Amino acid sequence: NFLLALPMLILSFFSIGVFSWFHLIRMYHVIQREKRGRKKETAEESSEKTKNTKTFFSTKVIPFVAHFAILLVISLTVLHVQVVTRFMSASPALYWFVGWL
């Protein structure tokens, strides 16, 4: 029975991990830039910034990913294995991550 829910759990862990890692790296770069002093953005950085604002890594997605992480914790601790797939597929963050892949 656990093998039925395993792909959904792996995909959920991976999506939350990638999202968190991206934002940690982004915060690190912002802190480093502030320490060095503000400099003008190059065209490459500004195009990268606008590219990521419309994807899975947008800051507007943070509440959905936080909700998705809470659903993951609940599904690992409380839910039956056969319900995990249905429960986790209710979050749009999963589909946005798969679309980003």
Side-chain angles (χ1 to χ4, degrees):
N1 275 346
F2 187 72
L3 291 177
L4 295 173
L6 193 61
M8 184 66 75
L9 293 174
I10 289 173
L11 193 59
S12 301
F13 275 121
F14 189 63
S15 66
I16 293 168
V18 166
F19 185 83
S20 301
W21 184 254
F22 176 81
H23 281 287
L24 285 174
I25 297 280
R26 194 166 109 182
M27 283 194 310
Y28 174 75
H29 287 299
V30 168
I31 291 170
Q32 291 300 320
R33 185 179 297 149
E34 290 296 322
K35 283 183 180 178
R36 283 184 268 145
R38 293 186 181 251
K39 64 173 186 169
K40 294 203 174 202
E41 290 182 346
T42 62
E44 203 173 275
E45 289 176 352
S46 63
S47 68
E48 183 70 24
K49 187 184 288 186
T50 57
K51 185 176 94 173
N52 284 331
T53 57
K54 296 182 180 177
T55 64
F56 175 70
F57 298 110
S58 171
T59 55
K60 295 178 182 178
V61 181
I62 291 175
F64 293 101
V65 175
H67 181 256
F68 192 47
I70 292 169
L71 290 178
L72 181 63
V73 169
I74 290 172
S75 66
L76 286 174
T77 57
V78 178
L79 293 180
H80 191 270
V81 173
Q82 294 176 351
V83 180
V84 170
T85 304
R86 285 187 230 149
F87 192 66
M88 297 302 288
S89 67
S91 177
L94 176 71
Y95 300 108
W96 292 333
F97 177 70
V98 171
W100 174 78
L101 286 177

